[in-house]
Structure formats: C-alpha cells, structure tokens
Amino acid sequence: MNLKNRSRIFWGAAVLLLISTAASAEEWWKDSFAAEGSAPCDNNDTIVTFTDKAVEMWEVGCSLEKVQKIGGLDAIILDMTCSDGETTEKRRELLLKLEDNKVMRYPRQEVLQRCSELKAQPGPDPKVETAH
C-alpha cells in the first residue's frame, strides 16, 4: 500500500470517528435521571426525563423550544416552556455531563444519576444469623 492510499484510509477513518463521536455526544443527555443517591426510579419524585422534544418531571412537563450545544464541552442549554397544569413559565437550564456519567443541572445545582445506574447498584448484603 502506498503512502497516498494510507493517507486516504487514515483521513476516512478519522472522519468516521469524529462523526460517530459527535452523534453519541449529542445524545448523552436524553435519558431518565433521578437525584444522585436516591432510591431507584420506580416511584421516585426526583425523576426527570429528557427527550429531544420535552422534559418531564414530577407534576411538571416542559416542551423544548431550543437546545444549544456548548462547543468544547459536554454541555447543553435548554430553553423550554413548562407547565404544572395551573401556571406556565419559560425556563432555561444548563446540563453539564460529569466524568462519572452523571449530570449537573443548573440553576438547581443538583447532580442527577441515570435511572439505569440507580437500578444497577447492589443493595446491602442481607444479614444472616448463624447459630453458635
């Protein structure tokens, strides 16, 4: 293989890698989360679910109007209109992906953990009494 063909293969692979990385980086925030360290997501009132069109929380639903990616960071700004059934308000939130696959949510300053990871956490070992 000559140098020209190697160069084409290298640049083609680099472009594919960048495209696949960018696509997955855009999706990191689309999931169900709950407050860090809380109970599993079943019947948990801290659950928040982010999709490409909405944010659903306990007793509050929001429709996304704009999603802005922040260059150079795993962070996005969400502009949304939220309603609790009685009142409607405009909100803006920043989501920042943390190294441990958790998400920091501003201005609430809360750390969210993926529901799938909360379910995967092992529970405490059952205490087994032995006869002496």
Side-chain angles (χ1 to χ4, degrees), residues 118-129:
L118 283 170
K119 291 177 183 175
Q121 290 180 346
D125 291 334
K127 294 187 179 191
V128 178
E129 293 186 29

Side-chain angles (χ1 to χ4, degrees), residues 20-32:
S20 66
T21 302
S24 64
E26 294 174 13
E27 305 296 322
W28 60 264
W29 57 278
K30 295 178 186 176
D31 204 349
S32 291

Side-chain angles (χ1 to χ4, degrees), residues 32-34 38-44 47 113-116 118-119:
S32 291
F33 297 86
S38 66
C41 286
D42 301 332
N43 298 318
N44 184 334
I47 297 170
Q113 191 170 355
R114 292 183 190 281
C115 285
S116 58
L118 283 170
K119 291 177 183 175

Side-chain angles (χ1 to χ4, degrees), residues 69-109:
K69 297 172 188 88
I70 299 176
L73 293 174
D74 278 335
I76 58 166
I77 296 173
L78 303 175
D79 289 309
M80 53 195 159
T81 301
C82 300
S83 176
D84 63 4
E86 296 178 13
T87 60
T88 300
E89 66 180 348
K90 299 273 187 187
R91 291 186 188 178
R92 174 175 264 192
E93 290 190 358
L94 169 72
L95 299 180
L96 177 64
K97 182 179 179 186
L98 303 176
E99 289 180 13
D100 54 2
N101 205 27
K102 295 177 183 170
V103 174
M104 176 64 84
R105 184 180 182 194
Y106 294 98
R108 296 173 185 251
Q109 296 185 2

